[in-house]
Structure formats: C-alpha cells, structure tokens
C-alpha cells in the first residue's frame, strides 16, 4: 500500500466522520466567531484611536481562524483516542499500511477542515467589511497557511493522544493554544504592550503567524511577514510531527 | 495457480533430496515466547507448532495470557524474549509481510461506530491494496457470508454484539489471508450468535483450508472446533494435543463425589484414594474428583467406603473425562469462565 494512498483513504474516513457529526463542527466554528464578534464589538470602536488600527475587524479575523483551527484539532485528538479505545486503531495497525501514514490521515483531515473553516470565517469577515487587500490569490495563500497550521497543530494533539490514550489529556492539549494566543499580538499591536509581554510576544511563534495572516487581509503583499509566518508554521510543524512520530513509535513497540 | 505449481515442484524436489517439505513447515511457529509487563509475566515461555489448515484452540481462563500471545504473533506487541514465525516469516524482521498474510479479529471487536459496515470493509480492503471491481465483489461476498447484507449500509453503532463480531470476522477475511487469529470470538455472545460464528469458522477451515488460531475460555468451543489444542495457564502451556488425545491422556473415568460437609472433604479424598483401582483424587469446588478406570463399577466401592468411614455423601456423578478434567488435572482447579459485565452493542 502506497503511503499517499493510505493517507488519502484515512483522510476521507475522518472527514466522513466530521460530516456525520455536524453538531461538533458547528461548535468548532461558533465559539471563535462568538469571541470575534465580542472582541470587535467591545474594543473595535476605540482601536483606531488607541492602537492606530483602522480595520480592527480585519485585524481580528486571524485570531478567529487560529482558535477555530485549534479546536478542530482537539477533536481529532479525541477521535484518535476513540479509535484506540475501541480497538479500531489496532485494526488499522494490522494492515500493511505504513503506520505513520495511518496517523497522518487524521492529521491531514484536520488540515482540510481548517481550510473549510477558514473559508467560512473569511466570508463572515467580508460580510462585516474587513475587505481582503491581497485579493483572491491572497485568500488562496491564507487557506494554504491554514492547511499547514491545522496539520501542525493536529500533529501535536495526535502526539498527546497516542502517548496518553487519555481523553482528558487530549482535551487539555487542545487548550495549549489559548495561552499562546493571549501572549501574542492577538488583540493589540506589540507597541502598546508592557515590556515583559512584548518580550513574550516577540518569541511567540503565534505572533508571526497572526502578522502574516493580517498582512494578507489588511495590508497587502509583504514578503517578510509571509516568510516569518511560514517559518513559524514550519517550525511548529517540525516540533509537533517529531512528537507525533515519537509517540507512535512508543505506542507500537 | 503459479504458487500451487511452485509448491508442487518444491515438494517433488524435497522428496528427491529428502528435505522437509513445505507442508511440514508450521503455519505458526514459536519458541520461548515471553512477554513481561513490569512484574507481570503475562506470557512466560511458549512454544507453538501449528500445522497449516488446522483450527488451533488456545484455551485458558481470563488473564492467562491468550491475548498477549496473539498480540505478539500478529506484530502488535514486541516480545520480551523468544522468537516466532508466521507463515514462515519472522514476526519482528518481516512484520509488514506477516500483516499481509494474516487476518485478525481481536477480542474487543475493533470497529468504528460511525462508518457503515460496507464502508468499514471497503476501507479495510483498500488498506490491503485491493482496488476496483475485485474490491466491491469481495465486500459484497463477505457481507453475504456473515449475513449482514441487510445491515450493510447502516452505521455500525446500531449493530448488536453478534453483528459486530460477524463484521469483525468479515474484516479479518477481506484480503483472503491464509491464517486468521480470532481472540475469543464468541465471548459474551448469545448461543445463537455463537453457533453462527462456529459455523463460519468451520467453513473457513474445511472449504478454504485457512489456518485458524482461536482463543477461548469455553471448553465446549475448544472441544467442538479445535483440531489441536493447547491449554494455557498463567502464561505457560500446561497441556497440548487434540481434544480427544487430551481426554484420553487422563486414562480413566471420572467419578465426582460431592461432600456437603466442608471439613469432610479432605478425609473423603483420603478414603477414596484408598479404594481399589483409584488412580488419583483431587479436590475441587466442594467435591472429591476420583480418577478410576471403569467408573461404573468403581462408584459403588467408593460410596461404600465413604459410608463406612462415616462421611456424608451428596450427589455422585460418573463421566468420561472432559476437557475440564484435563484442565483440572493440569492446574488443580476448574476453568473459570468470566463473561463480560455488560452486553455490547445496540438493538438486535
Ligand atoms: N498492557 C498491559 N500492561 C500490563 N499488564 C498487562 C497488559 N496486558 C495484559 N496484562 C496482564 O497480562 C496477563 C495476561 O493478560 P491477557 O493476555 O490479556 O490474558 P487473556 O487474554 O488470557 O485474558 C494479565 O495478568 C493481564 O493483567
Ligand atoms: Mg484476552
């Protein structure tokens, strides 16, 4: 069995699962949109004066995207654990399919779901007049970024799921992103932060992912921002996939 | 076709050169197989030689090491020590090739509630590299074999326990493996579902010549299905042979004398052991189990002797030796069957 074919078949299976469990998907998108609306509604009107951000709605879209993508990946960690507990994971391991491809199938499905949810959020943003400075091609770049961020984050959840087999641990793993979001430039530009928070925001990779996404929406093409964002996603992905494969090796030996 | 021809040629070559033939190669072979989980010696040195085409029964009670053995032989678990070959392939060095040749239905039917039965079998077939029409035909065929055609397009979450086991069995057969491992395929099932599984397993062996490695904690299942049998207790094989051979190895009839007064039991055993012809006496579950040739005649002598000794006697039974007696002789206790606490699955 070819690794790519395996990944594809298992991606399809995971997506089918998502389609048959629509309530969960609705929750995944509703919560970030709720926070998006509340943030924009509460401080949107003072953002221009306070931080010099005119398009605060557009400024907030990436935050909604990242939190939606992360809640998606948390549910995939739970899916892996359900498979392990039901014994279905063993059944997959008993096929000649490469074991890493079995895990990557679920991870890739999360990437696809992140792309879909990003599309929904972009559309909601457009309805609220965020505009999209880099146009259609910029949307494609944003969606591609979401795919890679979704898989990178999902890899981290898969690692927790494989290593612990515990639903509680997987749920906790899904929350990792929230402190990282709050310690980034999610709600205001770095310039207005206290010194200690500026330092944390500068070393926080989420900051660079957000800035890259923002540049696409409210600023126009900015190669440096995009490169930094891509580097942050790649770094995050290398770390999370390393953990995933270590966890898989641990579970299957 | 080509394989059959190759086999034939090798057999002829083997005849000329007086080598062991392919047919004498075990389908499953193990030497000194050990698995320790920290302090627990789950499997403690097991040897296996299972001939191709046989149904091999692995009988033991809960916690004796059956599942751990299967997980090692099917490449899911790395042995602590020892080596094993499945279809001639090393389980460590050739793990991927082993997986290609075996079908496995684990103890907890490993299914996914959200897919339908047909989707699950289709995905399974795809992961074994089957494509197109051949795959569709095989899936239809298997759904028919396990009588799940009507439920094929329903979510597995709605299946009963028996239906799940049947689907799991079908999933193990998708890629036409020559060897299948079934871990307690009927535990927790009602008698009708159990009969159905027995029928399928028998057909696999008789019609398709598949080697079946089957674990069970049911004496009747081992007796009915297995051509060859090993009894496992605390991680070690304590008896092996065909069910008939095993029973014959006891060599006597079995007279079971219940003694209602608990502290009379020890004395009853002593007295019974002194009766002419008695070979051995064991105490189990409030009864003295007396091994004696020609039990029908001996029973009178035994009861009289006990009566003379002033020991009150309850029910008395005579039987040909059963696998339970083999188990009792080897372990000193009866085989305890533990049913799962809750029945699995939804409505029938
Ligand atoms: N993963 C594990 N970790 C620790 N102990 C285990 C594990 N798997 C099995 N055991 C122990 O090994 C012994 C044999 O278990 P098992 O092979 O499941 O028996 P059976 O299948 O015959 O019921 C039991 O004492 C069980 O508790
Ligand atoms: Mg078991």
């Amino acid at each position: 069995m070819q690794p790519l074919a395996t990944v594809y078949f298992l991606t399809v299976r995971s997506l089918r699962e998502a389609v048959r469990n629509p309530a969960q998907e609705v929750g995944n998108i509703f919560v970030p949109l709720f926070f998006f609306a509340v943030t924009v509604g509460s401080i949107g009107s003072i953002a221009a004066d306070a931080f010099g951000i005119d398009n605060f709605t557009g400024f907030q879209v990436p935050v909604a995207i990242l939190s939606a993508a992360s809640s998606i990946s948390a549910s995939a960690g739970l899916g892996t654990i359900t498979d392990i507990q039901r014994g279905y994971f063993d059944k997959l391991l008993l096929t000649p399919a490469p074991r890493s491809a079995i895990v990557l199938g679920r991870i890739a499905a999360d990437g696809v779901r992140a792309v879909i949810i990003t599309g929904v959020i972009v559309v909601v943003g457009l309805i609220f007049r965020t505009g999209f400075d880099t146009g259609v091609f910029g949307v494609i770049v944003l969606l591609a970024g979401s795919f890679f961020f979704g898989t990178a984050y999902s890899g981290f959840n898969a690692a927790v799921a494989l290593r612990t087999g515990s639903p509680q641990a997987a749920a906790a793993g899904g929350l990792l992103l929230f402190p990282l979001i709050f310690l980034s430039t999610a709600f205001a530009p770095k310039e207005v932060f206290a010194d200690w928070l500026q330092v944390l925001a500068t070393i926080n990779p989420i900051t660079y992912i957000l800035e890259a996404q923002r540049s696409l929406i409210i600023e126009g093409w900015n190669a440096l921002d995009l490169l930094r964002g891509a580097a942050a996603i790649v770094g995050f992905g290398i770390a999370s996939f390393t953990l995933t494969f270590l966890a898989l090796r641990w579970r299957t030996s | 076709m080509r394989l059959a021809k190759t086999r034939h040629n090798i057999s002829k070559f083997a005849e000329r050169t007086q080598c062991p033939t392919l047919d004498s190669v075990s389908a499953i072979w193990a030497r000194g197989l050990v698995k320790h989980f920290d302090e627990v010696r789950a499997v403690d040195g097991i040897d296996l030689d299972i001939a191709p085409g046989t149904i091999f029964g692995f009988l033991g009670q809960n916690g004796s090491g059956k599942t751990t053995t299967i997980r090692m032989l099917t490449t899911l678990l790395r042995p602590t020590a020892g080596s094993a070959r499945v279809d001639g392939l090393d389980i460590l060095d050739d793990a991927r090739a082993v997986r290609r040749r075996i079908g496995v239905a684990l103890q907890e039917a490993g299914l996914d509630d959200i897919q339908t039965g047909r989707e699950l079998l289709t995905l399974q077939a795809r992961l074994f590299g089957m494509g197109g029409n051949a795959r569709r035909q095989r899936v239809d065929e298997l759904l028919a074999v396990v009588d799940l055609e009507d439920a094929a397009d329903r979510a597995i979450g709605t299946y009963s326990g028996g239906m799940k086991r049947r689907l799991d069995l079908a999933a193990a057969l998708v890629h036409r493996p020559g060897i299948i491992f079934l871990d307690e395929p009927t535990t927790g099932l009602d008698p009708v579902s159990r009969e159905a599984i027995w029928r399928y397993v028998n057909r696999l062996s008789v019609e398709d010549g598949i080697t079946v490695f089957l674990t069970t904690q049911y004496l009747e299942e081992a007796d009915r299905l297995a051509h060859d049998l090993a009894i496992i207790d605390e991680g070690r094989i304590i008896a092996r042979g065909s069910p008939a051979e095993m029973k014959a190895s006891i060599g006597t009839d079995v007279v079971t004398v219940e003694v209602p007064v608990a502290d009379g039991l020890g004395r009853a055993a002593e007295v019974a052991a002194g009766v002419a012809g008695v070979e051995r006496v064991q105490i189990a579950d409030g009864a003295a189990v007396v091994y004696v040739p020609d039990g029908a005649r001996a029973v009178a002598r035994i009861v009289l002797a006990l009566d003379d000794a002033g020991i009150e006697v309850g029910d008395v039974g005579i039987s040909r030796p059963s696998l339970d007696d083999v188990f009792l002789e080897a372990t000193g206790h009866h085989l305890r069957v533990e049913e799962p606490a809750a029945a699995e699955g939804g409505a029938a």
Side-chain angles (χ1 to χ4, degrees):
Chain A
M1 179 85 289
Q2 296 305 307
L4 276 181
T6 304
V7 173
Y8 172 74
F9 293 136
L10 290 167
T11 302
V12 171
R13 179 219 160 201
S14 293
L15 290 176
R16 200 156 55 201
E17 196 176 280
V19 169
R20 288 182 192 168
N21 199 353
Q24 194 183 346
E25 300 302 311
V26 170
N28 283 336
I29 189 140
F30 178 77
V31 174
L33 283 179
F34 173 77
F35 283 110
F36 172 69
V38 168
T39 312
V40 172
S42 58
I43 58 174
S45 60
I46 58 161
D49 295 338
F51 335 127
I53 308 275
D54 294 327
N55 183 358
F56 191 70
T57 317
F59 186 84
Q60 279 305 306
V61 165
V63 179
I65 292 175
L66 289 193
S67 22
S70 71
S71 38
I72 279 175
S73 311
S75 59
L78 292 174
T80 302
I81 286 165
T82 308
D83 281 350
I84 291 172
Q85 287 176 337
R86 291 240 165 84
Y88 190 64
F89 194 70
D90 280 335
K91 174 158 271 128
L92 296 175
L93 292 183
L94 283 164
T95 67
R99 288 174 168 183
S100 49
I102 291 168
V103 176
L104 284 175
R106 254 210 200 276
I107 291 176
D110 282 355
V112 173
R113 289 162 69 218
V115 168
I116 294 169
I117 227 160
T118 299
V120 173
I121 292 170
V122 166
V123 169
V124 171
L126 288 174
I127 293 171
F128 287 94
R129 303 183 180 284
T130 57
F132 209 102
D133 273 22
T134 51
V136 174
F137 192 58
V139 173
I140 293 172
V141 173
L142 182 73
L143 294 178
S146 284
F147 178 80
F148 290 111
F149 177 77
T151 52
Y153 197 71
S154 175
F156 178 76
N157 280 299
V160 175
L162 289 169
R163 186 63 180 79
T164 65
S166 139
Q168 290 79 10
L175 296 176
L176 168 90
L177 196 72
F178 286 96
L180 282 180
I181 285 186
F182 281 100
L183 295 174
S184 73
T185 56
F187 302 105
K190 213 158 45 184
E191 291 71 36
V192 305
F193 285 0
D195 287 349
W196 66 271
L197 192 55
Q198 263 190 32
V199 172
L200 289 178
T202 307
I203 57 173
N204 182 351
I206 295 296
T207 296
Y208 300 100
I209 300 173
L210 285 172
E211 313 257 280
Q213 293 171 308
R214 279 173 184 154
S215 74
L216 291 169
I217 302 170
I218 63 177
E219 205 176 295
W221 294 106
N222 180 333
L224 183 63
D225 277 353
L226 292 181
L227 272 178
R228 280 180 176 160
I233 291 178
V234 168
F236 195 35
I238 290 174
S240 80
F241 280 31
T242 305
L243 289 177
T244 307
F245 291 128
L246 286 177
L248 179 64
R249 199 142 86 220
W250 173 84
R251 179 157 292 278
T252 55
S253 68
Chain B
M1 285 302 113
R2 184 177 298 162
L3 187 64
K5 184 127 196 291
T6 312
R7 258 176 181 275
H8 178 74
N9 288 345
I10 293 178
S11 303
K12 278 202 337 210
F13 175 78
E15 254 167 50
R16 281 206 309 277
T17 56
Q18 298 187 327
C19 273
T21 63
L22 261 194
D23 289 349
S24 70
V25 172
S26 301
I28 299 167
W29 173 96
R31 285 296 174 273
L33 210 52
V34 170
K35 183 71 192 183
H36 293 177
F37 296 107
D38 301 323
E39 295 298 287
V40 182
R41 295 159 163 259
V43 172
D44 205 11
I46 277 184
D47 298 342
L48 294 168
D49 288 282
I50 300 172
T54 51
I55 300 179
F56 177 80
F58 208 39
L59 174 70
Q61 62 192 21
N62 226 343
S64 55
K66 304 183 295 297
T67 299
T68 305
T69 305
I70 283 205
R71 292 181 69 85
M72 286 191 282
L73 293 173
T74 57
T75 77
L76 285 176
L77 198 61
R78 194 170 260 277
T80 307
S83 55
R85 291 179 162 270
V86 172
D87 209 9
L89 298 166
D90 190 276
I91 56 164
L92 291 177
D93 300 339
D94 297 314
R96 184 91 72 87
V98 168
R99 275 178 244 146
R100 228 176 262 289
R101 289 165 192 228
I102 60 174
V104 187
L106 291 173
Q107 187 167 354
E108 322 287 339
L111 302 170
D112 160 17
D113 283 353
I114 295 167
Q115 296 184 85
T116 67
R118 188 189 305 279
E119 285 167 350
L120 183 122
L121 292 182
T122 302
L123 177 57
Q124 192 75 7
R126 285 193 157 124
L127 294 179
F128 276 97
M130 296 168 72
N133 269 337
R135 183 189 65 234
R136 270 186 292 277
Q137 269 172 23
R138 181 65 177 157
V139 168
D140 285 341
E141 182 184 310
L142 282 172
L143 285 167
V145 167
V146 296
D147 295 312
L148 283 176
E149 287 156 306
D150 293 340
D153 297 306
R154 259 164 48 196
I156 297 166
T158 66
Y159 287 16
S160 70
M163 292 163 80
K164 285 183 176 171
R165 292 300 179 88
R166 270 143 55 201
L167 180 65
D168 203 33
L169 183 59
L173 297 171
V174 160
H175 54 295
R176 304 179 196 277
I179 300 174
I180 61 170
F181 292 85
L182 306 177
D183 196 7
E184 299 197 25
T186 66
T187 296
L189 293 188
D190 60 276
V192 176
S193 304
R194 189 169 292 172
E195 279 284 347
I197 300 272
W198 287 351
R199 220 168 37 240
Y200 302 134
V201 171
N202 236 327
R203 202 189 298 164
L204 289 176
S205 165
V206 173
E207 290 178 14
D208 306 323
I210 291 177
T211 310
V212 182
F213 185 107
L214 168 136
T215 75
T216 183
Q217 45 174 336
Y218 299 127
L219 296 158
E220 189 194 357
E221 183 161 289
D223 216 351
R224 281 268 302 264
L225 277 182
H227 306 141
D228 254 315
L229 195 62
I231 295 178
I232 178 172
D233 196 50
E234 295 179 357
R236 291 167 178 275
I237 290 178
I238 50 169
R240 60 175 97 217
S242 71
E245 280 165 8
M246 280 195 181
K247 287 183 265 187
S249 75
I250 296 218
T252 63
D253 288 341
V254 181
V255 176
T256 308
V257 185
E258 280 184 12
V259 180
V261 187
D263 54 2
L265 204 51
R267 261 201 358 107
E270 269 171 43
V271 171
V275 172
V278 168
E279 294 191 358
R280 233 158 17 83
V281 183
Q282 233 163 350
I283 295 174
D285 292 348
V289 180
V290 184
Y291 297 90
V292 59
D294 199 1
R297 283 164 186 270
V299 66
R301 294 199 301 274
I302 295 168
V303 172
L304 275 177
L306 291 172
D307 198 42
D308 284 350
I311 297 165
E312 194 188 337
V313 172
D315 277 353
V316 178
I318 312 166
S319 60
R320 311 289 309 161
S322 68
L323 285 180
D324 190 31
D325 297 306
V326 177
F327 195 89
L328 177 63
E329 183 187 29
T331 65
H333 58 86
H334 284 293
L335 190 142
R336 276 183 295 275
V337 176
E338 282 173 45
E339 300 286 351
E344 50 195 296

